[in-house]
Each structure stands twice: as structure tokens, then as C-alpha cells.
Amino acid sequence: PRSEHMEQVEFVRLMRKRYPEIIGYANANGEARSKAGGQRLKMEGVLPGVPDLFLAEPWKLWHGLYIEMKRTAGGRVSDAQRLIIPRLIAKGYRVEVCRGADEAMEALEDYLR
């Protein structure tokens, strides 16, 4: 199976091709870095547990869509994600944990229905 990185790259490629009007971006969580680099990003506002992608597309009852990308096989939701995801939902955002680019596209298309 492809890495989480490759799944996310494929999803972003597909999303931007099919839905060029949607503003979608990745956050800086999850990347391996030095302790000093991690501290610097934390001071800048990086918050552990925030899902990998945000699609700034309000739709019906939702303010936007967060996608936490996982590989198609393996990978798990972290403890920090288990804390943040319900808080985001309570604030009016839809959050989907997706195993691979295809599942993420299905989640986006479901969101837009």
C-alpha cells in the first residue's frame, strides 16, 4: 500500500482537479522534525491532533470539512486526535478519518451532496 503521504498527495491532486473552486490546505502536524523545530511550530500555533487537511467550503449545516488521512492499511487515530475531533464537530465542522485517497474523495463528495 501507498504511504499516508502518497495517499494525501493523490487526494489533493484529485480534489484540485475536480473541485478547483474549493480552498483546501494541509496543516503542519505529523512531519518529523527536531525538538527545536517542533517547539517553534507549537509557539506559532500548531496544535497536535488537528486533522491533516481542511477544506474551507461551508456546506449546509457545516462550516467546513476536515480530513484525517490514513494509509489504506494500518495507521491509527492518535490520542490527540481523539480529543480534538469531537471538539471540531461540536463547533460545527465535519470531520472524516479516511483510509486512502479514494475514501477521502468519497467523503468529500458525500459532504457536498
Side-chain angles (χ1 to χ4, degrees):
R2 292 186 291 200
S3 67
E4 181 178 314
H5 165 77
M6 291 308 299
E7 293 290 348
Q8 186 165 319
V9 167
E10 179 63 8
F11 168 73
V12 169
R13 185 188 72 75
L14 289 170
M15 183 218 34
R16 289 186 175 155
K17 182 179 178 183
R18 291 183 195 172
Y19 302 101
E21 72 283 1
I22 293 178
I23 298 169
Y25 57 90
N27 76 54
N29 286 350
E31 186 73 24
R33 59 182 62 88
S34 68
K35 188 174 181 177
Q39 278 298 104
R40 192 182 101 248
L41 288 173
K42 191 173 181 179
M43 290 186 316
E44 289 177 3
V46 170
L47 183 62
V50 173
D52 296 313
L53 295 159
F54 180 65
L55 304 171
E57 185 70 21
W59 197 257
K60 298 185 181 179
L61 300 176
W62 304 103
H63 301 313
L65 173 64
Y66 281 95
I67 294 177
E68 173 55 34
M69 187 67 69
K70 300 294 182 196
R71 301 182 313 236
T72 57
R76 66 174 191 83
V77 175
S78 71
D79 291 340
Q81 290 165 344
R82 289 183 206 283
L83 294 173
I84 291 290
I85 289 172
R87 292 176 65 195
L88 290 168
I89 293 168
K91 298 283 185 183
Y93 295 94
R94 184 156 163 190
V95 182
E96 297 288 341
V97 177
C98 299
R99 298 207 172 275
D102 291 341
E103 195 171 297
M105 280 306 299
E106 289 174 17
L108 173 56
E109 289 168 355
D110 181 63
Y111 175 77
L112 295 174
R113 271 188 263 204

